[in-house]
Amino acid sequence: MPSPLLQIRDATKIYYSGGFLGNKKSVVALDNFNMTIGGSPATITTIAGESGSGKTTLANLVLGFIKLTSGRIIFDGEDITDMDNDQLKAYRRNVQAVFQDPFGVYNPFYRIDHVFDLVNRHFSLSDNRSEYRDMVEAGLNVVGLYGEDVLRKYPHQLSGGQRQRIMMARAYMIKPKLIVADEPVSMVDASLRASILDAMLRLRDEHGISFLYITHDLSTAYQIGDEIYMLYQGTTAERGTAMDVIDAPQHPYVQLLIDSVPVPDPTDKWDVNISLPSEEEMRTAAAQGCRYYPRCPHRMDKCLEEQPPLFMMDKPKHEAACYLYEEREVAPQELSLVENRPKSIAAATSNRSRNRERIAAAVLIILGFALGVILALNREPEIEVQTVVETVVVTAVVTPEEAAATATAVPTAPPEPEPAAANVVVPKFAIERDGAADKGSISWGEDTIGEIETADDRHRYTLAGIAGETVGIKLITGGRGLSGTGFFSPLATIYAPDGSIVFAFDSARRSNSGELTFGATGSYEVLLGADDRGRGVDAYTISIEGDMPEPTPMPTIVPPDFVIERAGAVPKGDIVLGEDTVEEILSADDRHSYSLAAIAGSTVEIKLITGGRGLSGTGFFAPLATIYAPDGSIVFAFDSARRSNRGSLTFGETGTYQVLLGADDRGRGVDAYTITITAAES
Amino acid sequence: MSQQLNPASLSQTAEGTSQPADFASRMEGERSRGKGRKDRVVLKVDNLRIHYATPQGDVIAVSDISFKLYEGETLGLVGESGCGKSTTAYGILQLVQPPGYIVNGSIEVDGTEVLDLEEEELRKFRWTGLSLIPQGAMNSLNPTMRVKDQIIDVIEAHEGKQSDKEALRERIFGLFQNVGLPNRIYNMYPHELSGGMKQRVCIAMGVALHPTAVIADEATSALDVVVQRIVAQTLIKVKDEIGVSLIVIGHDMGLLAQIVDRIAVMYAGKMVEIAPVENVYAQPLHPYTQLLIDSIPSIKERKPLKITEGITHDPRNPPSGCIFRLRCPFAWGHCAEVEPRQIMVEDLHEVACHLYDEQFHERRANALATIANS
């Protein structure tokens, strides 16, 4: 087993107040708390609970801001309680924080790049200016931002979501092993939270950074969390994987908590007849015994005698501290602490020995991993007991009359210029396999795959669909993966060209058959694989029936390759097909946007002629011309990566591309420019 | 399952499945349960426009929005920060502080035009006609006054000195009962109460004078989930008991699904969609509403994260045409030129988007034909 990253043992934190002459009051914020975060792979461990449950105390303890009353916190083999300042500084390289308030952490008088300059100075990341700039850019890219969009801005010019992600980028630059994120999304609009959660997932999966995610929002914990600890007044009420705990809570408090999370479905309303305890009852705790006794609907006399230990539930690692489960086994005590011998200060700061440590850590991880593999192999016979065949059948039911009727009766989504016109011949749909593992062979309309064992072993197909066409989809299942999970896992998901999910076998669709009418013409992605919990499917078959045309490659299109439509804010000058000259753009707001209807595979040449300000001497190259794909991604930009004023772009998909022209980030205008877009010679 | 704008989802309505009829009868049921009748409008806002003056030009906080609030109804007002939700609420009560000012519009409460009221009439009108539970209300209680004195203050400010102290006391106990507070807090100070209790004191103050409508601005954010549930359920219970109409402002789509009858979605000062709550969640029409619904994290299933940025344009210089076009996945040239009309899709369901406008589709077909022919 790899050595754990963070171990907390019997941690107790008591706050004292008042009491000059003996009348001392104490509040137990954390009571004999135990926790272990594994070293590798990186995980997101959630600490959840209501206010006063001890979540933030725990965060402050791990960050070394406050000291334990008793107990120990071991990080990467070293006890953090008796670190001196130099050791703490080294510790902070490994443990970074992101706080709740995305407004309070910035100095409003400085631009965003100041945040990074400070980090560079404090942790001496790089002396080389361009290397440093690349580091900043890399950090921003990880969290889905671009330097030219944010670095020269002031904090108030950014959204809360962007500000929190910049804090993550800042933490990332230091390459910590752990980020303590204390309510990072609670002050950010609900619609912007996903971007922050996504940044956390990327840091975990692509950069091996673990998170201690402190929140009272269970839905975000459910979406991204690996393990969860539900705290109640300083003690662990329940813990397990986020999905096990939230899908099937066992502790009465956790049940109430999860039942109270508002479900975004007006047809599934709260039970109005449920009687909630009055709030004073909710606040009072039993002096000894179970903390939840005063509020608990199942309370027993035994609960008052002694605090319940964690009992083991059905799922591995799922434990709940409640005497309702008294007949079950008590969870085993935490493994003994894994601790290194204390390091000297010199060793902690010297580069060479740090490298040596890294090598040693890598060796440890490899050894640990090997051990884990051996253990897993030993356990294999258990897994193989259930061997059930899963079958997925995709049946195409193309009904042209219906499709045509739908198409005329109903307004269609606009981004796709339908190539159905004139001389374009498109197959009704073509399926193309792009599986990760080469298991079995694919034939037209049917594919059988031997085994999918891990969550990563997913199989991807491309389905070319025409707007209005309908396919019937049927899923035949048995055994692991789908049954007995409580929730239907999305074993088959179909994504539209814009990345949205248009079809999934999930909790909303308990039936094993369904119909999908393509909303837009383009390439749909069919993803088949193991379920969310990583449990494999033994085998499945995908087949397409009916009189399908032979799969033909996407057609070659006769020009026009594109049409340009101007949609500028200010009408200055005339627009010629393929060319536009604008006299002056004075402010950052005075942007000009164009729509470019393009067909996949065709290529255009782009040339930008500018005068004077805006491009030269800015330090950062402003994106004076940017082209966005229909899905919103940037496919072409005159930016720091492209210092030349000309280039060519091959369209990846058929649809409407947006061309945006404007002033630079500092609002400085361009005197005049001409953008020319012409079809490339083929 | 995520609802995307595609012909499949639209065709269900177009083909006239039983859905709209079902929905109408459901709405009828909802209303008879509350006291409301759909035909009686208690609050009518027309073309309300509010600007904030800044040295660089006016910021358009609320841009010509119109909506109605029916008797006994709970209307949710949603949108991201800065979209003008709270400003709308303050505008309706004429509480917009300089540099903010109302540019134009009409606000009718029970047939009275609020914008025509004199200062003295307006003062009387607030809390009797319309009351507001402001954002962070629980922290706005006066820490040096007992709970009873604060409530008495509200009553006496409007009804004059009360001579019958016993009756006043009973009246306050009645209010406590409405919001589920024990009588013993009568003599307590705010710091002795928990957050949820303070919030309920604020609700009691809001309904003390039996207003026609109450506006609750983020009344339950900043509370733990269990307490939030208690306060939200209290709010709805009080609404039904006293028979007021309610506007709930918030950005928690999960909570709103639980407590409101209709939802009005605002984006950058514009009203983009107003619809019965069932429609909004089952079949959001406006691309922005779709995005809002898609971005709700669920505790029932794991789904891919839907990543969005906030309002991106400069509020002093909003984009031409449709306000949402810079972020809209369906934006087309037309969207930049013409501002979308508010289109009535079905009874009580309005949306401001070209996608649901016939003219737009004609124009688009022509553009495509041009591509094909040239």
Side-chain angles (χ1 to χ4, degrees):
Chain A
M1 191 185 154
S3 71
L5 185 66
L6 180 72
Q7 302 162 89
I8 300 177
R9 286 296 169 277
D10 303 322
T12 298
K13 175 69 188 175
I14 303 174
Y15 291 106
Y16 296 100
S17 63
F20 174 59
L21 288 170
N23 184 22
K24 214 168 181 179
K25 279 187 192 168
S26 63
V27 176
V28 181
L30 208 57
D31 188 6
N32 275 310
F33 179 77
N34 282 297
M35 182 172 93
T36 302
I37 296 182
S40 169
T43 54
I44 295 176
T45 304
T46 307
I47 309 291
E50 59 192 18
S51 39
S53 62
K55 318 188 284 289
T56 298
T57 299
L58 182 64
N60 288 338
L61 284 167
V62 172
L63 289 168
F65 294 156
I66 53 176
K67 298 274 183 208
L68 280 173
T69 308
S70 67
R72 305 185 71 185
I73 298 177
I74 311 287
F75 180 82
D76 219 6
E78 283 189 76
D79 196 324
I80 71 159
T81 39
D82 40 77
M83 282 184 173
D84 58 33
N85 280 346
D86 286 340
Q87 284 172 314
L88 262 180
K89 188 171 174 182
Y91 176 66
R92 295 234 194 286
R93 262 185 188 274
N94 286 322
V95 181
Q96 279 288 312
V98 173
F99 297 106
Q100 177 172 15
D101 186 351
F103 308 93
V105 294
Y106 290 93
N107 184 334
F109 297 106
Y110 289 102
R111 294 177 202 264
I112 296 299
D113 50 11
H114 181 69
V115 169
F116 295 98
D117 292 343
L118 279 183
V119 170
N120 191 23
R121 215 177 304 154
H122 189 74
F123 290 101
S124 323
L125 299 176
S126 172
D127 292 336
N128 181 324
R129 198 68 202 159
S130 83
E131 186 193 20
Y132 161 68
R133 209 179 298 143
D134 288 346
M135 282 171 74
V136 173
E137 189 66 35
L140 288 170
N141 291 351
V142 167
V143 299
L145 294 171
Y146 297 92
E148 62 257 41
D149 294 340
V150 297
L151 282 175
R152 299 303 297 164
K153 291 204 171 142
Y154 287 101
H156 70 267
Q157 293 173 303
L158 301 176
S159 73
Q162 287 172 322
R163 275 181 277 197
Q164 285 298 59
R165 282 185 284 155
I166 287 166
M167 280 294 116
M168 299 238 174
R170 174 201 161 279
Y172 166 78
M173 278 178 64
I174 306 158
K175 301 275 189 293
K177 292 176 181 162
L178 178 72
I179 293 178
V180 178
D182 189 357
E183 301 268 17
V185 301
S186 68
M187 287 178 74
V188 176
D189 265 337
S191 59
L192 306 182
R193 288 179 183 173
S195 62
I196 301 171
L197 301 178
D198 181 65
M200 289 170 66
L201 287 178
R202 283 165 73 174
L203 289 173
R204 179 193 69 181
D205 297 337
E206 292 164 23
H207 302 279
I209 298 174
S210 286
F211 280 85
L212 191 59
Y213 175 47
I214 290 166
T215 186
H216 67 261
D217 178 1
L218 295 173
S219 47
T220 54
Y222 189 79
Q223 293 301 318
I224 64 163
D226 295 309
E227 221 180 327
I228 194 166
Y229 286 72
M230 306 290 301
L231 295 194
Y232 185 73
Q233 298 197 350
T235 59
T236 303
E238 186 166 346
R239 72 177 184 200
T241 66
M243 297 193 82
D244 286 342
V245 171
I246 295 172
D247 282 348
Q250 302 295 322
H251 192 286
Y253 164 66
V254 182
Q255 287 169 347
L256 171 70
L257 199 64
I258 285 162
D259 192 43
S260 299
V261 175
V263 182
D265 179 359
T267 58
D268 181 7
K269 292 214 172 169
W270 274 327
D271 182 358
V272 282
N273 297 318
I274 193 171
S275 64
L276 293 165
S278 80
E279 270 177 71
E280 306 88 84
E281 280 182 49
M282 289 174 45
R283 293 282 155 196
T284 47
Q288 55 185 26
C290 179
R291 298 291 182 96
Y292 191 58
Y293 179 84
R295 290 167 66 179
C296 186
H298 306 291
R299 57 189 170 197
M300 302 173 281
D301 289 344
K302 185 175 174 62
C303 305
L304 277 179
E305 289 162 17
E306 204 187 343
Q307 213 164 300
L310 286 163
F311 294 100
M312 295 205 285
M313 301 293 115
D314 295 338
K315 298 274 172 56
K317 282 181 162 182
H318 190 178
E319 297 162 10
C322 179
Y323 283 121
L324 286 176
Y325 308 101
E326 201 181 353
E327 73 283 2
R328 294 176 188 243
E329 261 183 83
V330 174
Q333 290 296 303
E334 296 284 343
L335 295 167
S336 55
L337 292 173
V338 180
E339 198 175 354
N340 294 348
R341 61 190 156 70
K343 282 177 207 154
S344 71
I345 301 161
T349 43
S350 128
N351 257 333
R352 193 189 292 171
S353 61
R354 206 185 299 136
N355 282 341
R356 211 185 299 142
E357 274 160 38
R358 279 197 192 134
I359 293 164
V363 169
L364 254 181
I365 288 165
I366 291 163
L367 283 177
F369 192 72
L371 190 60
V373 169
I374 291 164
L375 286 175
L377 285 175
N378 282 340
R379 238 183 266 140
E380 188 125 41
E382 278 175 53
I383 299 167
E384 280 178 354
V385 173
Q386 306 168 297
T387 308
V388 190
V389 172
E390 299 243 353
T391 313
V392 179
V393 181
V394 177
T395 323
V397 190
V398 184
T399 46
E401 304 87 350
E402 275 178 36
T406 318
T408 48
V410 162
T412 42
E416 301 292 332
E418 271 151 60
N423 37 24
V424 181
V425 189
V426 181
K428 299 233 167 163
F429 56 84
I431 191 158
E432 248 184 277
R433 180 176 166 193
D434 180 22
D438 194 16
K439 285 175 182 160
S441 63
I442 175 141
S443 62
W444 168 243
E446 180 169 309
D447 185 21
T448 306
I449 284 155
E451 203 160 350
I452 298 184
E453 282 180 339
T454 67
D456 308 318
D457 190 6
R458 302 215 153 177
H459 292 252
R460 203 179 287 277
Y461 301 85
T462 311
L463 198 62
I466 291 185
E469 301 277 27
T470 304
V471 284
I473 295 162
K474 200 173 168 199
L475 178 73
I476 303 162
T477 57
R480 293 179 292 158
L482 283 173
S483 60
T485 63
F487 291 98
F488 230 60
S489 310
L491 276 171
T493 314
I494 300 180
Y495 298 85
D498 65 358
S500 60
I501 292 181
V502 289
F503 191 92
F505 284 105
D506 57 15
S507 54
R509 186 187 296 278
R510 290 191 178 270
S511 148
N512 69 342
S513 65
E515 250 187 20
L516 167 68
T517 302
F518 297 108
T521 301
S523 280
Y524 285 67
E525 290 272 311
V526 185
L527 191 70
L528 297 166
D531 69 356
D532 281 331
R533 302 177 187 194
R535 287 181 304 190
V537 178
D538 294 306
Y540 66 77
T541 304
I542 177 166
S543 65
I544 295 173
E545 295 164 6
D547 51 346
M548 291 301 107
E550 280 299 292
T552 34
M554 284 302 273
T556 40
I557 308 287
V558 190
D561 285 335
F562 60 89
V563 61
I564 194 161
E565 233 190 288
R566 179 172 170 194
V570 193
K572 283 173 182 162
D574 283 330
I575 169 125
V576 190
L577 181 68
E579 185 172 336
D580 186 22
T581 306
V582 174
E583 280 305 300
E584 202 157 355
I585 297 183
L586 289 174
S587 71
D589 313 319
D590 190 8
R591 300 213 154 180
H592 292 252
S593 78
Y594 302 84
S595 300
L596 201 61
I599 288 168
S602 57
T603 305
V604 287
E605 299 285 351
I606 299 160
K607 192 173 147 198
L608 181 71
I609 303 163
T610 61
R613 296 174 291 160
L615 282 172
S616 59
T618 62
F620 290 100
F621 227 62
L624 277 172
T626 313
I627 300 180
Y628 298 85
D631 64 0
S633 60
I634 293 179
V635 290
F636 188 91
F638 284 107
D639 57 10
S640 49
R642 185 188 299 278
R643 292 193 177 268
S644 147
N645 70 344
R646 61 176 69 220
S648 75
L649 168 67
T650 302
F651 297 110
E653 60 176 299
T654 301
T656 303
Y657 284 66
Q658 291 279 325
V659 185
L660 192 70
L661 298 166
D664 72 350
D665 282 329
R666 302 182 187 188
R668 288 182 304 188
V670 177
D671 295 328
Y673 67 76
T674 303
I675 178 160
T676 313
I677 300 175
T678 47
E681 300 289 318
S682 53
Chain B
M1 182 176 162
S2 82
Q3 283 288 324
Q4 273 304 307
L5 183 82
N6 65 29
S9 69
L10 283 172
S11 66
Q12 283 164 9
T13 3
E15 283 159 14
T17 55
S18 59
Q19 201 256 346
D22 265 3
F23 165 71
S25 64
R26 215 166 45 231
M27 282 301 289
E28 219 38 66
E30 289 287 323
R31 294 194 191 295
S32 52
R33 195 143 50 76
K35 281 177 147 183
R37 292 198 323 270
K38 169 179 134 180
D39 49 340
R40 201 172 103 73
V41 175
V42 293
L43 168 68
K44 186 159 171 277
V45 175
D46 256 330
N47 285 321
L48 180 65
R49 189 180 186 88
I50 303 174
H51 286 188
Y52 285 99
T54 74
Q56 291 84 34
D58 277 11
V59 170
I60 305 163
V62 176
S63 174
D64 299 318
I65 66 164
S66 304
F67 66 92
K68 296 187 179 96
L69 178 68
Y70 296 102
E71 185 179 6
E73 168 185 61
T74 307
L75 176 72
L77 194 55
V78 298
E80 55 206 75
S81 349
C83 75
K85 314 185 287 281
S86 297
T87 306
T88 303
Y90 281 82
I92 292 171
L93 280 155
Q94 290 242 57
L95 284 172
V96 181
Q97 299 293 317
Y101 65 100
I102 295 178
V103 179
N104 57 258
S106 143
I107 299 157
E108 261 179 46
V109 177
D110 272 342
T112 312
E113 175 56 60
V114 180
L115 295 180
D116 294 343
L117 295 179
E118 298 295 326
E119 188 54 38
E120 186 54 28
E121 294 170 312
L122 196 59
R123 218 172 53 79
K124 284 221 175 84
F125 162 78
R126 290 184 197 131
W127 268 249
T128 56
L130 269 181
S131 71
L132 174 75
I133 303 170
Q135 198 163 0
M138 59 183 188
N139 299 323
S140 63
L141 292 173
N142 185 337
T144 66
M145 278 172 85
R146 292 175 197 277
V147 169
K148 63 163 186 191
D149 294 329
Q150 310 213 13
I151 299 178
I152 291 172
D153 213 34
V154 170
I155 294 174
E156 292 191 335
H158 284 88
E159 300 179 0
K161 197 83 185 152
Q162 303 288 303
S163 51
D164 188 346
K165 293 293 171 204
E166 197 49 43
L168 186 61
R169 199 176 136 97
E170 284 308 313
R171 182 170 167 188
I172 292 172
F173 283 170
L175 285 171
F176 282 173
Q177 195 175 352
N178 282 332
V179 297
L181 286 170
N183 287 348
R184 61 183 175 75
I185 68 152
Y186 187 72
N187 273 317
M188 286 186 174
Y189 287 98
H191 74 268
E192 296 175 89
L193 308 179
S194 69
M197 292 169 96
K198 280 190 272 188
Q199 197 64 41
R200 283 188 278 172
V201 169
C202 294
I203 295 173
M205 285 164 66
V207 299
L209 299 166
H210 289 237
T212 310
V214 176
I215 301 174
D217 188 1
E218 303 272 9
T220 64
S221 38
L223 296 173
D224 290 320
V225 273
V226 179
V227 183
Q228 168 180 282
R229 177 180 178 175
I230 298 171
V231 172
Q233 289 185 339
T234 303
L235 200 58
I236 296 305
K237 186 175 137 276
V238 173
K239 186 213 77 171
D240 287 343
E241 281 176 6
I242 301 187
V244 297
S245 304
L246 188 59
I247 295 179
V248 180
I249 297 175
H251 63 250
D252 183 342
M253 294 297 280
L255 180 71
L256 289 169
Q258 292 294 324
I259 63 175
V260 307
D261 302 322
R262 275 198 307 151
I263 288 192
V265 183
M266 285 185 74
Y267 179 79
K270 296 257 189 209
M271 193 69 88
V272 297
E273 186 164 1
I274 309 182
V277 66
E278 290 84 357
N279 283 24
V280 169
Y281 288 84
Q283 198 172 63
L285 293 182
H286 197 282
Y288 177 65
T289 316
Q290 292 173 357
L291 187 147
L292 266 188
I293 299 290
D294 271 354
S295 63
I296 307 171
S298 164
I299 60 158
K300 293 279 166 75
E301 53 167 329
R302 273 197 183 183
K303 48 186 183 184
L305 297 166
K306 183 92 183 173
I307 298 161
T308 65
E309 298 293 346
I311 295 171
T312 43
H313 64 259
D314 179 347
R316 277 182 280 276
N317 187 7
S320 61
C322 175
I323 194 87
F324 187 59
R325 72 175 164 91
L326 297 179
R327 286 170 70 188
C328 183
F330 306 115
W332 188 251
H334 191 50
C335 300
E337 290 159 23
V338 182
E339 196 181 326
R341 308 177 288 170
Q342 195 94 5
I343 296 157
M344 183 79 86
V345 193
E346 60 179 81
D347 192 23
L348 294 173
H349 193 158
E350 290 174 48
V351 61
C353 177
H354 289 313
L355 290 177
Y356 307 95
D357 197 334
E358 283 306 317
Q359 291 170 9
F360 169 77
H361 291 282
E362 270 170 39
R363 200 193 133 91
R364 189 174 155 256
N366 291 340
L368 286 171
T370 318
I371 300 175
N373 296 333
S374 56

mmCIF file of all heavy atoms in Angstrom, chain A residues 11 53 66 74 104 138 191 293 370 451 589 638 642 664:
data_model
loop_
_atom_site.group_PDB
_atom_site.id
_atom_site.type_symbol
_atom_site.label_atom_id
_atom_site.label_comp_id
_atom_site.label_asym_id
_atom_site.label_seq_id
_atom_site.Cartn_x
_atom_site.Cartn_y
_atom_site.Cartn_z
ATOM 1 N N ALA A 11 -7.631 13.413 16.689
ATOM 2 C CA ALA A 11 -7.471 14.863 16.747
ATOM 3 C C ALA A 11 -8.608 15.485 17.552
ATOM 4 O O ALA A 11 -9.775 15.249 17.287
ATOM 5 C CB ALA A 11 -7.458 15.441 15.332
ATOM 6 N N SER A 53 -20.022 22.177 12.781
ATOM 7 C CA SER A 53 -19.706 20.751 12.859
ATOM 8 C C SER A 53 -18.204 20.508 12.953
ATOM 9 O O SER A 53 -17.773 19.391 13.166
ATOM 10 C CB SER A 53 -20.280 20.020 11.650
ATOM 11 O OG SER A 53 -19.702 20.515 10.469
ATOM 12 N N ILE A 66 -3.872 26.691 13.169
ATOM 13 C CA ILE A 66 -4.119 26.518 14.602
ATOM 14 C C ILE A 66 -3.517 25.182 15.035
ATOM 15 O O ILE A 66 -3.208 24.336 14.205
ATOM 16 C CB ILE A 66 -5.637 26.560 14.932
ATOM 17 C CG1 ILE A 66 -6.411 25.571 14.057
ATOM 18 C CG2 ILE A 66 -6.204 27.953 14.776
ATOM 19 C CD1 ILE A 66 -7.882 25.472 14.389
ATOM 20 N N ILE A 74 -0.192 13.845 10.583
ATOM 21 C CA ILE A 74 1.041 13.450 9.905
ATOM 22 C C ILE A 74 0.838 13.690 8.418
ATOM 23 O O ILE A 74 -0.079 13.130 7.817
ATOM 24 C CB ILE A 74 1.336 11.948 10.112
ATOM 25 C CG1 ILE A 74 1.234 11.561 11.578
ATOM 26 C CG2 ILE A 74 2.678 11.567 9.514
ATOM 27 C CD1 ILE A 74 2.352 12.051 12.427
ATOM 28 N N GLY A 104 -12.561 38.565 -1.181
ATOM 29 C CA GLY A 104 -11.699 39.053 -0.114
ATOM 30 C C GLY A 104 -10.227 38.746 -0.281
ATOM 31 O O GLY A 104 -9.393 39.424 0.294
ATOM 32 N N ALA A 138 0.573 28.032 -18.202
ATOM 33 C CA ALA A 138 0.245 26.617 -18.029
ATOM 34 C C ALA A 138 -0.728 26.442 -16.874
ATOM 35 O O ALA A 138 -1.702 25.687 -16.970
ATOM 36 C CB ALA A 138 1.519 25.809 -17.783
ATOM 37 N N SER A 191 -24.630 28.608 -11.384
ATOM 38 C CA SER A 191 -24.345 28.243 -12.770
ATOM 39 C C SER A 191 -22.854 28.296 -13.083
ATOM 40 O O SER A 191 -22.410 27.786 -14.094
ATOM 41 C CB SER A 191 -25.118 29.151 -13.726
ATOM 42 O OG SER A 191 -24.761 30.489 -13.492
ATOM 43 N N TYR A 293 -28.327 12.572 19.903
ATOM 44 C CA TYR A 293 -29.421 12.026 20.706
ATOM 45 C C TYR A 293 -30.635 12.952 20.790
ATOM 46 O O TYR A 293 -31.763 12.516 20.547
ATOM 47 C CB TYR A 293 -28.910 11.693 22.113
ATOM 48 C CG TYR A 293 -29.972 11.145 23.031
ATOM 49 C CD1 TYR A 293 -30.298 9.785 23.021
ATOM 50 C CD2 TYR A 293 -30.674 11.987 23.884
ATOM 51 C CE1 TYR A 293 -31.280 9.287 23.845
ATOM 52 C CE2 TYR A 293 -31.673 11.496 24.712
ATOM 53 C CZ TYR A 293 -31.973 10.151 24.680
ATOM 54 O OH TYR A 293 -32.962 9.660 25.482
ATOM 55 N N ALA A 370 3.012 -1.889 -6.593
ATOM 56 C CA ALA A 370 3.234 -3.306 -6.869
ATOM 57 C C ALA A 370 2.538 -4.150 -5.813
ATOM 58 O O ALA A 370 1.859 -5.139 -6.115
ATOM 59 C CB ALA A 370 4.731 -3.609 -6.894
ATOM 60 N N GLU A 451 -14.346 -7.750 -23.052
ATOM 61 C CA GLU A 451 -14.422 -7.399 -21.652
ATOM 62 C C GLU A 451 -14.032 -5.936 -21.440
ATOM 63 O O GLU A 451 -13.113 -5.435 -22.057
ATOM 64 C CB GLU A 451 -13.481 -8.290 -20.843
ATOM 65 C CG GLU A 451 -13.887 -8.370 -19.407
ATOM 66 C CD GLU A 451 -13.295 -9.585 -18.729
ATOM 67 O OE1 GLU A 451 -12.738 -10.454 -19.429
ATOM 68 O OE2 GLU A 451 -13.400 -9.656 -17.514
ATOM 69 N N ASP A 589 -15.131 47.381 -25.989
ATOM 70 C CA ASP A 589 -16.497 46.912 -26.203
ATOM 71 C C ASP A 589 -16.863 46.919 -27.671
ATOM 72 O O ASP A 589 -17.776 46.241 -28.107
ATOM 73 C CB ASP A 589 -17.483 47.821 -25.475
ATOM 74 C CG ASP A 589 -17.014 48.077 -24.079
ATOM 75 O OD1 ASP A 589 -16.546 47.112 -23.469
ATOM 76 O OD2 ASP A 589 -17.097 49.224 -23.619
ATOM 77 N N PHE A 638 -5.042 35.075 -33.259
ATOM 78 C CA PHE A 638 -3.780 35.787 -33.396
ATOM 79 C C PHE A 638 -3.348 36.113 -31.986
ATOM 80 O O PHE A 638 -3.727 37.126 -31.419
ATOM 81 C CB PHE A 638 -3.954 37.069 -34.202
ATOM 82 C CG PHE A 638 -4.082 36.819 -35.664
ATOM 83 C CD1 PHE A 638 -5.294 36.961 -36.301
ATOM 84 C CD2 PHE A 638 -2.982 36.426 -36.404
ATOM 85 C CE1 PHE A 638 -5.407 36.724 -37.658
ATOM 86 C CE2 PHE A 638 -3.106 36.184 -37.770
ATOM 87 C CZ PHE A 638 -4.317 36.329 -38.394
ATOM 88 N N ARG A 642 0.771 32.615 -31.976
ATOM 89 C CA ARG A 642 0.800 32.813 -33.410
ATOM 90 C C ARG A 642 1.211 34.254 -33.693
ATOM 91 O O ARG A 642 0.384 35.133 -33.811
ATOM 92 C CB ARG A 642 -0.588 32.532 -33.981
ATOM 93 C CG ARG A 642 -0.666 32.593 -35.488
ATOM 94 C CD ARG A 642 -2.103 32.496 -35.928
ATOM 95 N NE ARG A 642 -2.684 31.241 -35.496
ATOM 96 C CZ ARG A 642 -2.511 30.097 -36.157
ATOM 97 N NH1 ARG A 642 -1.825 30.063 -37.260
ATOM 98 N NH2 ARG A 642 -3.068 29.007 -35.701
ATOM 99 N N ASP A 664 -7.657 45.398 -27.912
ATOM 100 C CA ASP A 664 -6.949 44.498 -27.019
ATOM 101 C C ASP A 664 -7.481 44.617 -25.598
ATOM 102 O O ASP A 664 -8.373 45.399 -25.300
ATOM 103 C CB ASP A 664 -5.438 44.726 -27.086
ATOM 104 C CG ASP A 664 -5.027 46.025 -26.422
ATOM 105 O OD1 ASP A 664 -5.913 46.834 -26.088
ATOM 106 O OD2 ASP A 664 -3.816 46.232 -26.245
#
